[in-house]
Amino acid sequence: MTTIHTIWLHARLQCQRFPTLAAECRYQPRTDGEVPSPRDQCSALYHDNKMWIFGGRSQTSRLNELHVLDLDAWCWLVPEAHGTVPSPRQGAALAVL
């Protein structure tokens, strides 16, 4: 199933001439795979040309789902997880070690 999503990219340009200039662009890629439900305050990480998204909050509850958007194929994946599943959370941070 092909789904169209809007991804908003925000960037702040910091320099002496334009200390608060904000650049904004809008892009609507066509994606395949299992699309994550709408959420806010999720943790996101870009690594190895993939966007990793964990947790967040839906309209009714906190989430503990992990989703990956492969930016080469524009395909959503749900990776197989092993071990103890983290508790649902919002506003957390992700890092690559």
Side-chain angles (χ1 to χ4, degrees), residues 18-49:
F18 307 104
T20 60
L21 178 65
E24 184 177 287
C25 64
R26 180 176 168 165
Y27 180 58
Q28 289 187 311
R30 293 188 182 275
T31 61
D32 291 315
E34 184 178 333
V35 178
S37 61
R39 63 194 65 215
D40 63 6
Q41 298 182 12
C42 63
S43 302
L45 171 75
Y46 172 81
H47 177 68
D48 198 24
N49 214 33

Side-chain angles (χ1 to χ4, degrees), residues 5-21:
H5 296 279
T6 300
I7 297 176
W8 286 94
L9 303 174
H10 296 277
R12 292 224 178 259
L13 305 175
Q14 300 294 327
C15 65
Q16 291 178 335
R17 297 177 84 186
F18 307 104
T20 60
L21 178 65

